[in-house]
Amino acid sequence: MADRKPFVGGNWKMNTNRSSASDLCRGVADALLRVDTADIAVFPPFPYLLLVRSILRDRGSSIRLGAQDVYSRPDGAYTGEVSVEMLKDCGVEVVICGHSERRHVLGEKDDLVNQKLRAVLEGGLWGILCVGERLEEREAGHTDVVVQRQMKNGLTDIAGQHLARLIVAYEPVWAIGTGKNATPQDVVEVHTKIRGLLTGLFGAENAARVRIIYGGSVKPDNAGPLFAPPEVDGGLIGGASLVAGDFAAVVRATTRKH
Ligand code: 13P
């Protein structure tokens, strides 16, 4: 099996302010200063990207700076949007595309997610493609169909050469922010299907490079069992990433994988 370094991201969503973002970033950087067994990233709100970058640099941290979203066009009359080049200019290395909150609260469709992901990967950054079914879709037995559609549409026209910088996050919508995590078996089942889809689309060698991570109510007390299976290459963390000690504990839960 390919040797994939675990990845753990802290998605701060629309939380923190200038002061609490600074405190959180310092806390996370200090708690994880000597951890190099996982790739770690934090995703602050746009206005705090430069602030967080400067704290990470001052602390000598290897934590990567991430952005929660991006727009696909390089520049122009797109009020309120932010380009890949702007994010790179601010030190961003990894970008989330198609988070379920953008899909279901803000109405983003697969083709827009695909355009964003292509811009991110073609711009040389790491891109996280988020996929996952809603509760009613799971209950109707449609998990596979939904994930397959999001994967195929999300990855349209992505070149195989970019796959080493692709991360797929399986985030079942019913598990996000609800305290109801998927079981490790649920996660392994869907991750195995995702790996199979990647293999069908890009061939086994390219597919093996892609990290597939889980997101949805990951906390220090469930991270160990969720990250233990070889099919799970880490996690995307919401609520628990807002408490430095909790986020550090979740990251540490990946250490025995490497
Ligand atoms: P929670 O960890 O709060 O469930 O959020 C998960 C998530 O959406 C990460 O992107």
Side-chain angles (χ1 to χ4, degrees):
M1 204 184 71
D3 186 20
R4 292 181 295 268
K5 191 172 186 182
F7 175 93
V8 183
N11 178 6
W12 296 0
K13 307 192 180 182
M14 200 173 75
N15 294 298
T16 69
N17 55 29
R18 208 142 54 96
S19 159
S20 64
S22 305
D23 291 346
L24 178 56
C25 182
R26 277 191 211 101
V28 168
D30 290 351
L32 293 167
L33 199 53
R34 271 168 285 280
V35 177
D36 59 1
T37 48
D39 288 322
I40 306 163
V42 289
F43 299 80
F46 285 148
Y48 309 134
L49 284 172
L50 288 174
L51 171 72
V52 167
R53 174 173 78 158
S54 106
I55 294 169
L56 292 174
R57 285 197 172 171
D58 286 352
R59 291 279 203 274
S61 175
S62 59
I63 294 176
R64 289 163 198 265
L65 185 62
Q68 298 175 20
D69 189 29
V70 69
Y71 193 52
S72 52
R73 308 295 301 179
D75 51 47
Y78 303 104
T79 302
E81 296 299 326
V82 165
S83 72
V84 170
E85 288 305 317
M86 290 173 189
L87 294 179
K88 284 163 77 169
D89 204 19
C90 294
V92 165
E93 294 178 86
V94 45
V95 183
I96 298 173
C97 299
H99 191 279
S100 73
E101 286 143 19
R102 298 213 58 85
R103 291 178 187 269
H104 302 306
V105 182
L106 293 143
E108 258 181 42
K109 300 278 182 279
D110 284 345
D111 61 341
L112 180 57
V113 175
N114 171 248
Q115 286 163 22
K116 292 181 176 190
L117 184 65
R118 271 167 42 199
V120 166
L121 294 175
E122 284 163 15
L125 300 182
W126 291 6
I128 303 182
L129 171 63
C130 297
V131 298
E133 80 287 1
R134 306 166 93 156
L135 183 61
E136 58 272 29
E137 293 164 334
R138 170 159 280 257
E139 286 175 343
H142 294 157
T143 299
D144 291 356
V145 184
V146 171
V147 170
Q148 184 171 10
R149 192 205 72 225
Q150 292 171 334
M151 288 286 296
K152 281 204 165 140
N153 293 346
L155 293 171
T156 301
D157 292 334
I158 300 276
Q161 80 209 51
H162 294 323
L163 285 216
R165 284 184 282 103
L166 172 69
I167 296 168
V168 176
Y170 170 52
E171 300 206 295
V173 181
W174 49 271
I176 296 178
T178 58
K180 284 188 225 154
N181 60 282
T183 65
Q185 296 91 299
D186 293 332
V187 177
V188 166
E189 210 174 288
V190 179
H191 283 209
T192 304
K193 300 240 165 75
I194 291 173
R195 182 77 58 201
L197 288 168
L198 288 167
T199 304
L201 289 169
F202 299 103
E205 202 177 311
N206 280 328
R209 299 200 178 102
V210 179
R211 287 178 281 196
I212 307 176
I213 63 176
Y214 167 75
S217 297
V218 179
K219 311 283 177 207
D221 61 353
N222 63 18
L226 281 166
F227 293 163
E231 291 84 357
V232 184
D233 300 314
L236 194 54
I237 319 303
S241 75
L242 298 172
V243 178
D246 286 357
F247 184 62
V250 169
V251 171
R252 287 214 165 78
T254 64
T255 49
R256 80 190 121 95
K257 292 180 72 68
H258 197 60

